[in-house]
Amino acid sequence: MNEAPLARLDAARFFSDPGGTVAALYAQHGPVFRTRLPNGSFVYVLVGPEANRVVLGTDRGKFSNELGWQRIQRAGEVFGRGLTFLDGAEHALHRKLMAPHFRIDRAWDARPVVERVVEQETAGWVNGQVLDLFESFYRITFCVAAEFFLGITDHGQIEELIRQFRILEPLGTVGLRREQRLAAEKDAIARLRELLHPLLQLRRTEPVGDLLSHMASARDPQGRWLLDDDALHAEANQMLLAGHLSTSSLLAWLAYLLLRHPGYLARIGEDDVLRRVMLEAERLYPPVGHLPRVTVEDVEVAGCVIPKGSFVACSAVGGHRIPGIFAEPERFDPERFAPPREEHLKTPYALVGFSAGPRQCLGIHFAKAQIEIVVRTLFSRFRMELVDGREVVCRYQPLATPVGGVRVRVARRDED
Ligand code: HEM
């Protein structure tokens, strides 16, 4: 077995076009290469279906999610160890407990909640108003997650949760000095616990049928709570975090692409058309650009050895730009997903915006249904145009973020 080739990654180029940069290195070095991080250590970058299959499918037990995500951000420390952070038996137990609520046949259960939340969020929009859709999507998806997964309907309480989450998310404390940032985070973590603790205890004794109740009231064969208070807190945070961050990112990029391609926007009433544009948004702007992992033993990928303890970035955004898999990958072309081309189905593990394999995103069906409902509801009530004709830049911060937001001018259709 060979050592993985060493690639020079141009940081500036990578930040402005991560997908294109990684795909170019793939063309040069193949599906596995190493590059040096600013601190001198290596990251092994894995790109494309062959590598994805190893990390997410056949050899997934050799890669730790928890150690990987800890390297990216302190989310485990801040929000606790929710499902994304767990490995092995602990992961299997939590996933089995939560999975029934995320079945495909339940994906549309949230429709009334989503429609009502969109109604509330847009009630004050007036003709000619300029607003940032990304910001609105953040609020909409947060409110839906709080109500649908945790059963929180009190508006004041949701606003308070949003305030704390904004502090704890990576951009919340930008500009603050380190000690100020740590103090702000410490306060927010304490406040979050204070807000959620009574609710979690209530759901243990008086379950109401939502996901939180299901997790809170589950017992082991000896009659003890299956999840202790810390684990329950972490999963409640995970539901709020996973429930809004990536969904608002994909929604923003989908809305942006539709606004730039009015021919498609005019046809979103057709299920297949909206789904194809959503797949294209997932391909071009996967909210989670790189899936972080750490190897827990030596692993072989495409003839290269990745030693135990290595930091690995499984590049969704790079793999989505490989020309042999996706024709003319820089081009917006939703028809690539229509029969007979169906480029995403020709090669397993090619499209991985929601990951793939047994640990694929648990919320995939729910998220896709929610996105369809939000987009259709919004565009049926409002005409919108992008305020700025320029292309919106995508930065991974750490999720795919539209720099400056997606600014639109809105007009109510009922006043046309
Ligand atoms: C557009 C929206 C979404 C995208 C693109 C997305 C993407 C992803 C990705 C890439 C992963 C894999 C992370 C990894 O293995 O390192 C993941 C995991 C996960 N997602 Fe999502 N997600 C979305 C929405 C949601 C929603 C709405 C929920 C619901 C709460 C959710 C819950 C989860 C959970 C619980 C996991 C961990 C699964 C496991 O490790 O077994 N996601 N998601």
Side-chain angles (χ1 to χ4, degrees):
M1 267 190 292
N2 303 317
E3 206 175 31
L6 185 58
R8 220 184 68 77
L9 188 98
D10 178 337
R13 203 177 148 214
F14 176 76
F15 282 118
S16 68
D17 177 16
T21 308
V22 172
L25 292 172
Y26 167 91
Q28 199 181 342
H29 299 288
V32 184
F33 52 86
R34 289 174 298 154
T35 184
R36 231 180 247 288
L37 292 171
N39 67 8
S41 67
F42 285 117
V43 55
Y44 286 74
V45 184
L46 270 52
V47 196
E50 183 186 355
N52 291 342
R53 180 199 293 278
V54 175
V55 184
L56 309 174
T58 51
D59 289 22
R60 65 185 183 285
K62 298 178 185 168
F63 296 85
S64 164
N65 276 49
E66 175 166 22
L67 299 176
W69 276 101
Q70 272 174 6
R71 295 282 289 263
I72 291 290
Q73 48 179 196
R74 295 169 31 251
E77 214 177 292
V78 171
F79 293 108
R81 294 166 62 248
L83 197 62
T84 327
F85 288 84
L86 303 179
D87 290 313
E90 204 181 2
H91 171 263
L93 177 78
H94 285 223
R95 180 141 180 149
K96 192 168 163 212
L97 185 63
M98 290 154 82
H101 276 255
F102 289 98
R103 281 198 326 252
I104 193 161
D105 58 318
R106 299 188 64 172
W108 297 87
D109 287 4
R111 183 191 280 279
V113 176
V114 180
E115 286 176 346
R116 181 164 33 75
V117 168
V118 173
E119 180 71 51
Q120 278 161 10
E121 178 65 24
T122 59
W125 290 9
V126 294
N127 282 344
Q129 185 178 345
V130 170
L131 49 87
D132 173 12
L133 280 181
F134 183 46
E135 166 65 20
S136 298
F137 291 149
Y138 181 103
R139 297 178 51 77
I140 289 171
T141 52
F142 196 104
C143 293
V144 170
E147 179 166 348
F148 189 65
F149 296 127
L150 307 191
I152 306 175
T153 47
D154 180 301
H155 219 69
Q157 206 178 6
I158 295 179
E159 291 299 329
E160 179 68 19
L161 285 170
I162 290 181
R163 262 197 297 282
Q164 306 313 322
F165 265 76
R166 285 205 196 266
I167 295 170
L168 295 170
E169 284 162 8
L171 292 181
T173 44
V174 163
L176 296 186
R177 286 203 317 272
R178 187 180 141 76
E179 44 303 359
Q180 286 176 318
R181 197 187 73 227
L182 292 178
E185 284 181 358
K186 197 168 156 222
D187 286 351
I189 292 169
R191 182 75 188 116
L192 205 56
R193 225 180 151 87
E194 196 178 288
L195 284 166
L196 289 178
H197 190 71
L199 179 75
L200 305 189
Q201 299 313 315
L202 187 67
R203 293 287 188 272
R204 284 211 192 277
T205 48
E206 294 175 33
V208 293
D210 56 18
L211 175 60
L212 178 61
S213 300
H214 177 67
M215 290 190 289
S217 59
R219 294 178 186 270
D220 69 12
Q222 287 73 42
R224 293 170 306 211
W225 300 125
L226 206 57
L227 303 188
D228 64 20
D229 281 1
D230 283 345
L232 192 56
H233 248 282
E235 292 302 5
N237 285 339
Q238 162 100 59
M239 288 304 104
L240 290 173
L241 196 64
H244 81 283
L245 263 191
S246 356
T247 314
S248 53
S249 165
L250 192 59
L251 257 168
W253 290 110
L254 173 60
Y256 170 70
L257 289 173
L258 287 168
L259 288 163
R260 281 181 75 98
H261 301 276
Y264 278 99
L265 181 56
R267 295 177 57 205
I268 57 169
E270 299 167 43
D271 284 348
D272 286 353
V273 173
L274 183 54
R275 283 176 198 159
R276 290 206 284 271
V277 186
M278 201 194 301
L279 287 170
E280 189 64 330
E282 174 192 342
R283 186 184 71 82
L284 289 168
Y285 305 102
V288 186
H290 290 93
L291 278 63
R293 299 288 187 267
V294 168
T295 47
V296 292
E297 54 185 278
D298 289 359
V299 194
E300 189 206 325
V301 185
C304 295
V305 64
I306 305 180
K308 175 180 173 179
S310 302
F311 180 39
V312 170
C314 184
S315 183
V317 71
H320 291 178
R321 298 279 291 274
I322 299 175
I325 310 275
F326 297 105
E328 293 184 78
E330 317 70 39
R331 218 161 70 82
F332 170 81
D333 178 14
E335 299 320 305
R336 65 176 79 248
F337 299 111
R341 286 172 64 191
E342 296 184 309
E343 293 175 355
H344 61 313
L345 301 180
K346 296 254 153 75
T347 319
Y349 290 91
L351 186 72
V352 289
F354 287 88
S355 181
R359 279 195 82 157
Q360 189 182 40
C361 171
L362 195 57
I364 180 172
H365 307 303
F366 169 83
K368 288 186 170 191
Q370 183 184 8
I371 289 172
E372 281 191 34
I373 299 166
V374 172
V375 164
R376 289 222 174 88
T377 313
L378 263 192
F379 283 103
S380 68
R381 295 195 189 155
F382 295 90
R383 277 187 289 111
M384 294 184 221
E385 59 184 19
L386 289 166
V387 172
D388 195 338
R390 278 178 309 174
E391 201 174 318
V392 172
V393 172
C394 175
R395 281 275 142 76
Y396 281 88
Q397 295 178 326
L399 298 196
T401 306
V403 177
V406 177
R407 284 161 48 78
V408 294
R409 183 169 290 105
V410 298
R412 305 192 83 93
R413 286 193 190 274
D414 57 9
E415 294 176 16
D416 275 354

